[in-house]
Amino acid sequence: MIGALTVLLVFQLVGEALARGLGLPIPGPVIGMGLMFAALVLRSGPSAELRGTATGILQHLSLLFIPAGTGVMLHFQRLADEWLPLTVALIASTLLSIAVSALLLRALSRHTPHGEDPQ
């Protein structure tokens, strides 16, 4: 498990270094995740150790929302002051996500004959 956690943290560190070093507007962990995805595609998937560690982390994913909830409570007054633009942005982004998902589903379902298993 230590080796798999090290791999995860190394990719996050590389992503953070690239984001800061190149002045990219993308968060370092997102860059690291993309790099790890590329590495896993080249290796034909994760090792059993990495898969087990990732499964263990995902089982406790809800714990990662505690810092975000604390941050929301620290900025509660700002949220109260700017509730309208935040609500509009939340609703608009939700509707846009639903629309894009529906269009993507429609486009992909045209490529799969009806009654046939896509796998």
Side-chain angles (χ1 to χ4, degrees), residues 65-109:
F65 290 107
I66 293 172
T70 304
V72 166
M73 298 316 303
L74 288 175
H75 297 285
F76 189 74
Q77 185 59 43
R78 184 170 185 186
L79 291 172
D81 294 340
E82 300 179 22
W83 69 271
L84 183 60
L86 289 171
T87 303
V88 169
L90 181 65
I91 291 171
S93 65
T94 300
L95 293 175
L96 181 64
S97 297
I98 291 170
V100 168
S101 297
L103 292 172
L104 183 61
L105 178 64
R106 180 188 292 177
L108 292 175
S109 66

mmCIF file of all heavy atoms in Angstrom, residues 65-109:
data_model
loop_
_atom_site.group_PDB
_atom_site.id
_atom_site.type_symbol
_atom_site.label_atom_id
_atom_site.label_comp_id
_atom_site.label_asym_id
_atom_site.label_seq_id
_atom_site.Cartn_x
_atom_site.Cartn_y
_atom_site.Cartn_z
ATOM 1 N N PHE A 65 -14.585 15.462 1.907
ATOM 2 C CA PHE A 65 -15.477 16.610 1.795
ATOM 3 C C PHE A 65 -15.511 17.443 3.069
ATOM 4 O O PHE A 65 -16.063 18.540 3.073
ATOM 5 C CB PHE A 65 -16.889 16.158 1.428
ATOM 6 C CG PHE A 65 -16.986 15.648 0.022
ATOM 7 C CD1 PHE A 65 -17.120 14.293 -0.229
ATOM 8 C CD2 PHE A 65 -16.921 16.520 -1.049
ATOM 9 C CE1 PHE A 65 -17.197 13.819 -1.519
ATOM 10 C CE2 PHE A 65 -16.981 16.057 -2.347
ATOM 11 C CZ PHE A 65 -17.127 14.708 -2.589
ATOM 12 N N ILE A 66 -14.953 16.963 4.147
ATOM 13 C CA ILE A 66 -14.950 17.709 5.408
ATOM 14 C C ILE A 66 -14.199 19.033 5.267
ATOM 15 O O ILE A 66 -14.717 20.075 5.668
ATOM 16 C CB ILE A 66 -14.408 16.846 6.556
ATOM 17 C CG1 ILE A 66 -15.382 15.700 6.823
ATOM 18 C CG2 ILE A 66 -14.183 17.673 7.813
ATOM 19 C CD1 ILE A 66 -14.893 14.670 7.801
ATOM 20 N N PRO A 67 -12.992 19.069 4.688
ATOM 21 C CA PRO A 67 -12.329 20.372 4.526
ATOM 22 C C PRO A 67 -13.126 21.341 3.649
ATOM 23 O O PRO A 67 -13.173 22.540 3.930
ATOM 24 C CB PRO A 67 -10.985 20.022 3.872
ATOM 25 C CG PRO A 67 -10.754 18.604 4.215
ATOM 26 C CD PRO A 67 -12.115 17.976 4.281
ATOM 27 N N ALA A 68 -13.779 20.827 2.609
ATOM 28 C CA ALA A 68 -14.576 21.705 1.755
ATOM 29 C C ALA A 68 -15.759 22.279 2.524
ATOM 30 O O ALA A 68 -16.078 23.467 2.406
ATOM 31 C CB ALA A 68 -15.056 20.931 0.526
ATOM 32 N N GLY A 69 -16.407 21.457 3.325
ATOM 33 C CA GLY A 69 -17.520 21.943 4.138
ATOM 34 C C GLY A 69 -17.077 22.974 5.149
ATOM 35 O O GLY A 69 -17.775 23.967 5.401
ATOM 36 N N THR A 70 -15.898 22.774 5.726
ATOM 37 C CA THR A 70 -15.358 23.748 6.659
ATOM 38 C C THR A 70 -15.069 25.067 5.953
ATOM 39 O O THR A 70 -15.362 26.144 6.476
ATOM 40 C CB THR A 70 -14.065 23.215 7.302
ATOM 41 O OG1 THR A 70 -14.351 21.961 7.914
ATOM 42 C CG2 THR A 70 -13.507 24.172 8.316
ATOM 43 N N GLY A 71 -14.530 24.982 4.735
ATOM 44 C CA GLY A 71 -14.264 26.201 3.962
ATOM 45 C C GLY A 71 -15.528 26.957 3.636
ATOM 46 O O GLY A 71 -15.552 28.193 3.668
ATOM 47 N N VAL A 72 -16.600 26.240 3.344
ATOM 48 C CA VAL A 72 -17.879 26.898 3.064
ATOM 49 C C VAL A 72 -18.349 27.641 4.308
ATOM 50 O O VAL A 72 -18.826 28.778 4.232
ATOM 51 C CB VAL A 72 -18.933 25.860 2.600
ATOM 52 C CG1 VAL A 72 -20.328 26.439 2.629
ATOM 53 C CG2 VAL A 72 -18.595 25.368 1.208
ATOM 54 N N MET A 73 -18.213 27.026 5.467
ATOM 55 C CA MET A 73 -18.668 27.679 6.695
ATOM 56 C C MET A 73 -17.807 28.895 7.040
ATOM 57 O O MET A 73 -18.307 29.863 7.601
ATOM 58 C CB MET A 73 -18.670 26.686 7.863
ATOM 59 C CG MET A 73 -19.613 25.509 7.673
ATOM 60 S SD MET A 73 -21.274 25.868 7.021
ATOM 61 C CE MET A 73 -21.936 27.022 8.152
ATOM 62 N N LEU A 74 -16.539 28.862 6.691
ATOM 63 C CA LEU A 74 -15.668 30.013 6.952
ATOM 64 C C LEU A 74 -16.032 31.206 6.081
ATOM 65 O O LEU A 74 -15.826 32.344 6.473
ATOM 66 C CB LEU A 74 -14.195 29.631 6.729
ATOM 67 C CG LEU A 74 -13.581 28.724 7.777
ATOM 68 C CD1 LEU A 74 -12.168 28.317 7.364
ATOM 69 C CD2 LEU A 74 -13.547 29.411 9.134
ATOM 70 N N HIS A 75 -16.565 30.945 4.898
ATOM 71 C CA HIS A 75 -16.925 32.012 3.962
ATOM 72 C C HIS A 75 -18.432 32.153 3.830
ATOM 73 O O HIS A 75 -18.947 32.549 2.788
ATOM 74 C CB HIS A 75 -16.294 31.735 2.594
ATOM 75 C CG HIS A 75 -14.801 31.731 2.627
ATOM 76 N ND1 HIS A 75 -14.065 32.876 2.713
ATOM 77 C CD2 HIS A 75 -13.910 30.702 2.624
ATOM 78 C CE1 HIS A 75 -12.783 32.573 2.742
ATOM 79 N NE2 HIS A 75 -12.667 31.252 2.695
ATOM 80 N N PHE A 76 -19.161 31.855 4.898
ATOM 81 C CA PHE A 76 -20.612 31.885 4.854
ATOM 82 C C PHE A 76 -21.151 33.280 4.533
ATOM 83 O O PHE A 76 -22.104 33.419 3.761
ATOM 84 C CB PHE A 76 -21.194 31.389 6.180
ATOM 85 C CG PHE A 76 -22.672 31.181 6.128
ATOM 86 C CD1 PHE A 76 -23.199 30.096 5.454
ATOM 87 C CD2 PHE A 76 -23.536 32.081 6.732
ATOM 88 C CE1 PHE A 76 -24.563 29.892 5.382
ATOM 89 C CE2 PHE A 76 -24.894 31.891 6.666
ATOM 90 C CZ PHE A 76 -25.407 30.797 5.992
ATOM 91 N N GLN A 77 -20.531 34.322 5.088
ATOM 92 C CA GLN A 77 -21.003 35.686 4.823
ATOM 93 C C GLN A 77 -20.839 36.048 3.348
ATOM 94 O O GLN A 77 -21.708 36.665 2.756
ATOM 95 C CB GLN A 77 -20.255 36.699 5.704
ATOM 96 C CG GLN A 77 -20.774 38.117 5.569
ATOM 97 C CD GLN A 77 -22.254 38.228 5.935
ATOM 98 O OE1 GLN A 77 -22.705 37.659 6.907
ATOM 99 N NE2 GLN A 77 -23.015 38.950 5.118
ATOM 100 N N ARG A 78 -19.743 35.644 2.753
ATOM 101 C CA ARG A 78 -19.542 35.909 1.323
ATOM 102 C C ARG A 78 -20.576 35.171 0.483
ATOM 103 O O ARG A 78 -21.083 35.699 -0.497
ATOM 104 C CB ARG A 78 -18.134 35.497 0.904
ATOM 105 C CG ARG A 78 -17.835 35.839 -0.518
ATOM 106 C CD ARG A 78 -16.395 35.660 -0.849
ATOM 107 N NE ARG A 78 -16.160 36.122 -2.209
ATOM 108 C CZ ARG A 78 -15.022 36.000 -2.824
ATOM 109 N NH1 ARG A 78 -14.003 35.456 -2.205
ATOM 110 N NH2 ARG A 78 -14.882 36.419 -4.054
ATOM 111 N N LEU A 79 -20.883 33.936 0.866
ATOM 112 C CA LEU A 79 -21.924 33.185 0.168
ATOM 113 C C LEU A 79 -23.277 33.881 0.309
ATOM 114 O O LEU A 79 -24.063 33.931 -0.643
ATOM 115 C CB LEU A 79 -22.013 31.760 0.705
ATOM 116 C CG LEU A 79 -20.839 30.845 0.399
ATOM 117 C CD1 LEU A 79 -20.986 29.539 1.156
ATOM 118 C CD2 LEU A 79 -20.746 30.594 -1.082
ATOM 119 N N ALA A 80 -23.554 34.405 1.489
ATOM 120 C CA ALA A 80 -24.817 35.112 1.706
ATOM 121 C C ALA A 80 -24.874 36.392 0.873
ATOM 122 O O ALA A 80 -25.930 36.754 0.357
ATOM 123 C CB ALA A 80 -24.986 35.441 3.192
ATOM 124 N N ASP A 81 -23.741 37.071 0.717
ATOM 125 C CA ASP A 81 -23.701 38.307 -0.068
ATOM 126 C C ASP A 81 -23.838 38.047 -1.564
ATOM 127 O O ASP A 81 -24.389 38.875 -2.292
ATOM 128 C CB ASP A 81 -22.397 39.070 0.192
ATOM 129 C CG ASP A 81 -22.301 39.585 1.622
ATOM 130 O OD1 ASP A 81 -23.367 39.688 2.286
ATOM 131 O OD2 ASP A 81 -21.176 39.866 2.076
ATOM 132 N N GLU A 82 -23.324 36.929 -2.035
ATOM 133 C CA GLU A 82 -23.293 36.655 -3.475
ATOM 134 C C GLU A 82 -24.130 35.428 -3.843
ATOM 135 O O GLU A 82 -23.786 34.682 -4.759
ATOM 136 C CB GLU A 82 -21.840 36.456 -3.908
ATOM 137 C CG GLU A 82 -20.992 37.681 -3.638
ATOM 138 C CD GLU A 82 -19.549 37.495 -4.032
ATOM 139 O OE1 GLU A 82 -19.268 36.626 -4.870
ATOM 140 O OE2 GLU A 82 -18.709 38.209 -3.481
ATOM 141 N N TRP A 83 -25.254 35.230 -3.169
ATOM 142 C CA TRP A 83 -26.073 34.045 -3.380
ATOM 143 C C TRP A 83 -26.680 33.997 -4.772
ATOM 144 O O TRP A 83 -26.784 32.931 -5.364
ATOM 145 C CB TRP A 83 -27.164 33.931 -2.314
ATOM 146 C CG TRP A 83 -28.224 34.985 -2.424
ATOM 147 C CD1 TRP A 83 -28.212 36.201 -1.835
ATOM 148 C CD2 TRP A 83 -29.418 34.904 -3.195
ATOM 149 N NE1 TRP A 83 -29.335 36.893 -2.185
ATOM 150 C CE2 TRP A 83 -30.095 36.125 -3.034
ATOM 151 C CE3 TRP A 83 -29.980 33.935 -4.008
ATOM 152 C CZ2 TRP A 83 -31.303 36.398 -3.646
ATOM 153 C CZ3 TRP A 83 -31.187 34.206 -4.625
ATOM 154 C CH2 TRP A 83 -31.841 35.417 -4.430
ATOM 155 N N LEU A 84 -27.079 35.144 -5.328
ATOM 156 C CA LEU A 84 -27.756 35.129 -6.625
ATOM 157 C C LEU A 84 -26.832 34.671 -7.759
ATOM 158 O O LEU A 84 -27.179 33.743 -8.498
ATOM 159 C CB LEU A 84 -28.377 36.485 -6.929
ATOM 160 C CG LEU A 84 -29.162 36.566 -8.232
ATOM 161 C CD1 LEU A 84 -30.320 35.581 -8.222
ATOM 162 C CD2 LEU A 84 -29.667 37.974 -8.465
ATOM 163 N N PRO A 85 -25.639 35.291 -7.924
ATOM 164 C CA PRO A 85 -24.775 34.795 -9.010
ATOM 165 C C PRO A 85 -24.337 33.346 -8.811
ATOM 166 O O PRO A 85 -24.207 32.596 -9.784
ATOM 167 C CB PRO A 85 -23.572 35.732 -9.000
ATOM 168 C CG PRO A 85 -23.759 36.686 -7.908
ATOM 169 C CD PRO A 85 -25.084 36.463 -7.275
ATOM 170 N N LEU A 86 -24.141 32.940 -7.564
ATOM 171 C CA LEU A 86 -23.759 31.553 -7.304
ATOM 172 C C LEU A 86 -24.893 30.594 -7.669
ATOM 173 O O LEU A 86 -24.650 29.539 -8.273
ATOM 174 C CB LEU A 86 -23.381 31.374 -5.840
ATOM 175 C CG LEU A 86 -22.060 32.004 -5.408
ATOM 176 C CD1 LEU A 86 -21.911 31.955 -3.902
ATOM 177 C CD2 LEU A 86 -20.900 31.319 -6.091
ATOM 178 N N THR A 87 -26.115 30.971 -7.346
ATOM 179 C CA THR A 87 -27.260 30.129 -7.682
ATOM 180 C C THR A 87 -27.460 30.036 -9.183
ATOM 181 O O THR A 87 -27.703 28.951 -9.728
ATOM 182 C CB THR A 87 -28.532 30.672 -7.001
ATOM 183 O OG1 THR A 87 -28.305 30.739 -5.593
ATOM 184 C CG2 THR A 87 -29.735 29.800 -7.291
ATOM 185 N N VAL A 88 -27.331 31.166 -9.874
ATOM 186 C CA VAL A 88 -27.473 31.174 -11.333
ATOM 187 C C VAL A 88 -26.387 30.308 -11.971
ATOM 188 O O VAL A 88 -26.667 29.506 -12.868
ATOM 189 C CB VAL A 88 -27.435 32.616 -11.876
ATOM 190 C CG1 VAL A 88 -27.316 32.628 -13.392
ATOM 191 C CG2 VAL A 88 -28.670 33.383 -11.431
ATOM 192 N N ALA A 89 -25.153 30.446 -11.501
ATOM 193 C CA ALA A 89 -24.053 29.652 -12.048
ATOM 194 C C ALA A 89 -24.263 28.166 -11.777
ATOM 195 O O ALA A 89 -24.007 27.322 -12.651
ATOM 196 C CB ALA A 89 -22.725 30.112 -11.454
ATOM 197 N N LEU A 90 -24.743 27.830 -10.603
ATOM 198 C CA LEU A 90 -24.984 26.433 -10.257
ATOM 199 C C LEU A 90 -26.074 25.828 -11.136
ATOM 200 O O LEU A 90 -25.906 24.736 -11.684
ATOM 201 C CB LEU A 90 -25.369 26.323 -8.782
ATOM 202 C CG LEU A 90 -25.628 24.928 -8.246
ATOM 203 C CD1 LEU A 90 -24.348 24.109 -8.287
ATOM 204 C CD2 LEU A 90 -26.148 25.003 -6.830
ATOM 205 N N ILE A 91 -27.175 26.543 -11.304
ATOM 206 C CA ILE A 91 -28.277 26.037 -12.128
ATOM 207 C C ILE A 91 -27.858 25.954 -13.597
ATOM 208 O O ILE A 91 -28.124 24.954 -14.272
ATOM 209 C CB ILE A 91 -29.535 26.916 -11.948
ATOM 210 C CG1 ILE A 91 -30.087 26.718 -10.523
ATOM 211 C CG2 ILE A 91 -30.600 26.576 -12.989
ATOM 212 C CD1 ILE A 91 -31.189 27.684 -10.151
ATOM 213 N N ALA A 92 -27.186 26.991 -14.091
ATOM 214 C CA ALA A 92 -26.764 26.992 -15.498
ATOM 215 C C ALA A 92 -25.776 25.864 -15.780
ATOM 216 O O ALA A 92 -25.890 25.166 -16.796
ATOM 217 C CB ALA A 92 -26.147 28.339 -15.863
ATOM 218 N N SER A 93 -24.816 25.665 -14.891
ATOM 219 C CA SER A 93 -23.834 24.598 -15.120
ATOM 220 C C SER A 93 -24.479 23.221 -15.023
ATOM 221 O O SER A 93 -24.108 22.308 -15.767
ATOM 222 C CB SER A 93 -22.671 24.723 -14.142
ATOM 223 O OG SER A 93 -23.101 24.522 -12.812
ATOM 224 N N THR A 94 -25.451 23.066 -14.144
ATOM 225 C CA THR A 94 -26.161 21.790 -14.046
ATOM 226 C C THR A 94 -26.940 21.505 -15.320
ATOM 227 O O THR A 94 -26.882 20.399 -15.878
ATOM 228 C CB THR A 94 -27.110 21.790 -12.830
ATOM 229 O OG1 THR A 94 -26.332 21.997 -11.647
ATOM 230 C CG2 THR A 94 -27.863 20.478 -12.725
ATOM 231 N N LEU A 95 -27.675 22.502 -15.807
ATOM 232 C CA LEU A 95 -28.443 22.323 -17.042
ATOM 233 C C LEU A 95 -27.530 22.059 -18.233
ATOM 234 O O LEU A 95 -27.844 21.225 -19.088
ATOM 235 C CB LEU A 95 -29.330 23.544 -17.292
ATOM 236 C CG LEU A 95 -30.469 23.753 -16.292
ATOM 237 C CD1 LEU A 95 -31.198 25.066 -16.578
ATOM 238 C CD2 LEU A 95 -31.424 22.580 -16.309
ATOM 239 N N LEU A 96 -26.400 22.760 -18.293
ATOM 240 C CA LEU A 96 -25.444 22.540 -19.374
ATOM 241 C C LEU A 96 -24.873 21.128 -19.315
ATOM 242 O O LEU A 96 -24.748 20.457 -20.350
ATOM 243 C CB LEU A 96 -24.319 23.579 -19.314
ATOM 244 C CG LEU A 96 -23.260 23.489 -20.392
ATOM 245 C CD1 LEU A 96 -23.879 23.765 -21.764
ATOM 246 C CD2 LEU A 96 -22.138 24.460 -20.116
ATOM 247 N N SER A 97 -24.560 20.646 -18.120
ATOM 248 C CA SER A 97 -24.038 19.285 -17.972
ATOM 249 C C SER A 97 -25.062 18.246 -18.409
ATOM 250 O O SER A 97 -24.723 17.272 -19.093
ATOM 251 C CB SER A 97 -23.648 19.014 -16.516
ATOM 252 O OG SER A 97 -22.612 19.862 -16.119
ATOM 253 N N ILE A 98 -26.316 18.455 -18.038
ATOM 254 C CA ILE A 98 -27.365 17.528 -18.446
ATOM 255 C C ILE A 98 -27.538 17.541 -19.961
ATOM 256 O O ILE A 98 -27.668 16.486 -20.596
ATOM 257 C CB ILE A 98 -28.691 17.871 -17.729
ATOM 258 C CG1 ILE A 98 -28.567 17.568 -16.236
ATOM 259 C CG2 ILE A 98 -29.862 17.106 -18.337
ATOM 260 C CD1 ILE A 98 -29.726 18.081 -15.404
ATOM 261 N N ALA A 99 -27.511 18.745 -20.556
ATOM 262 C CA ALA A 99 -27.686 18.853 -22.009
ATOM 263 C C ALA A 99 -26.538 18.184 -22.753
ATOM 264 O O ALA A 99 -26.756 17.442 -23.721
ATOM 265 C CB ALA A 99 -27.802 20.319 -22.407
ATOM 266 N N VAL A 100 -25.313 18.421 -22.317
ATOM 267 C CA VAL A 100 -24.152 17.810 -22.979
ATOM 268 C C VAL A 100 -24.203 16.294 -22.822
ATOM 269 O O VAL A 100 -23.924 15.553 -23.774
ATOM 270 C CB VAL A 100 -22.837 18.406 -22.422
ATOM 271 C CG1 VAL A 100 -21.635 17.590 -22.867
ATOM 272 C CG2 VAL A 100 -22.682 19.857 -22.852
ATOM 273 N N SER A 101 -24.570 15.812 -21.643
ATOM 274 C CA SER A 101 -24.677 14.366 -21.432
ATOM 275 C C SER A 101 -25.739 13.753 -22.339
ATOM 276 O O SER A 101 -25.537 12.685 -22.912
ATOM 277 C CB SER A 101 -25.024 14.064 -19.976
ATOM 278 O OG SER A 101 -23.994 14.509 -19.130
ATOM 279 N N ALA A 102 -26.873 14.445 -22.477
ATOM 280 C CA ALA A 102 -27.947 13.926 -23.343
ATOM 281 C C ALA A 102 -27.506 13.896 -24.799
ATOM 282 O O ALA A 102 -27.763 12.919 -25.522
ATOM 283 C CB ALA A 102 -29.202 14.782 -23.184
ATOM 284 N N LEU A 103 -26.841 14.953 -25.254
ATOM 285 C CA LEU A 103 -26.365 14.986 -26.639
ATOM 286 C C LEU A 103 -25.310 13.913 -26.886
ATOM 287 O O LEU A 103 -25.295 13.270 -27.942
ATOM 288 C CB LEU A 103 -25.817 16.378 -26.976
ATOM 289 C CG LEU A 103 -26.854 17.492 -27.032
ATOM 290 C CD1 LEU A 103 -26.171 18.847 -27.182
ATOM 291 C CD2 LEU A 103 -27.848 17.257 -28.156
ATOM 292 N N LEU A 104 -24.438 13.714 -25.920
ATOM 293 C CA LEU A 104 -23.413 12.681 -26.053
ATOM 294 C C LEU A 104 -24.050 11.295 -26.074
ATOM 295 O O LEU A 104 -23.659 10.442 -26.885
ATOM 296 C CB LEU A 104 -22.411 12.787 -24.902
ATOM 297 C CG LEU A 104 -21.240 11.830 -24.928
ATOM 298 C CD1 LEU A 104 -20.395 12.061 -26.181
ATOM 299 C CD2 LEU A 104 -20.390 12.014 -23.692
ATOM 300 N N LEU A 105 -25.038 11.069 -25.218
ATOM 301 C CA LEU A 105 -25.731 9.790 -25.215
ATOM 302 C C LEU A 105 -26.423 9.545 -26.550
ATOM 303 O O LEU A 105 -26.354 8.445 -27.107
ATOM 304 C CB LEU A 105 -26.750 9.736 -24.084
ATOM 305 C CG LEU A 105 -27.578 8.463 -23.999
ATOM 306 C CD1 LEU A 105 -26.685 7.272 -23.698
ATOM 307 C CD2 LEU A 105 -28.656 8.599 -22.953
ATOM 308 N N ARG A 106 -27.060 10.569 -27.089
ATOM 309 C CA ARG A 106 -27.729 10.428 -28.376
ATOM 310 C C ARG A 106 -26.721 10.106 -29.481
ATOM 311 O O ARG A 106 -26.942 9.220 -30.305
ATOM 312 C CB ARG A 106 -28.480 11.701 -28.736
ATOM 313 C CG ARG A 106 -29.199 11.568 -30.088
ATOM 314 C CD ARG A 106 -29.792 12.852 -30.576
ATOM 315 N NE ARG A 106 -30.906 13.246 -29.719
ATOM 316 C CZ ARG A 106 -31.574 14.368 -29.885
ATOM 317 N NH1 ARG A 106 -31.232 15.202 -30.847
ATOM 318 N NH2 ARG A 106 -32.570 14.677 -29.112
ATOM 319 N N ALA A 107 -25.589 10.807 -29.478
ATOM 320 C CA ALA A 107 -24.577 10.574 -30.511
ATOM 321 C C ALA A 107 -23.984 9.174 -30.395
ATOM 322 O O ALA A 107 -23.783 8.494 -31.408
ATOM 323 C CB ALA A 107 -23.475 11.624 -30.406
ATOM 324 N N LEU A 108 -23.726 8.728 -29.186
ATOM 325 C CA LEU A 108 -23.135 7.400 -28.998
ATOM 326 C C LEU A 108 -24.146 6.280 -29.241
ATOM 327 O O LEU A 108 -23.770 5.201 -29.692
ATOM 328 C CB LEU A 108 -22.545 7.274 -27.599
ATOM 329 C CG LEU A 108 -21.316 8.144 -27.325
ATOM 330 C CD1 LEU A 108 -20.893 8.027 -25.879
ATOM 331 C CD2 LEU A 108 -20.182 7.784 -28.261
ATOM 332 N N SER A 109 -25.417 6.526 -28.944
ATOM 333 C CA SER A 109 -26.413 5.477 -29.148
ATOM 334 C C SER A 109 -26.686 5.234 -30.627
ATOM 335 O O SER A 109 -27.145 4.161 -31.006
ATOM 336 C CB SER A 109 -27.712 5.821 -28.421
ATOM 337 O OG SER A 109 -28.324 6.956 -28.992
#
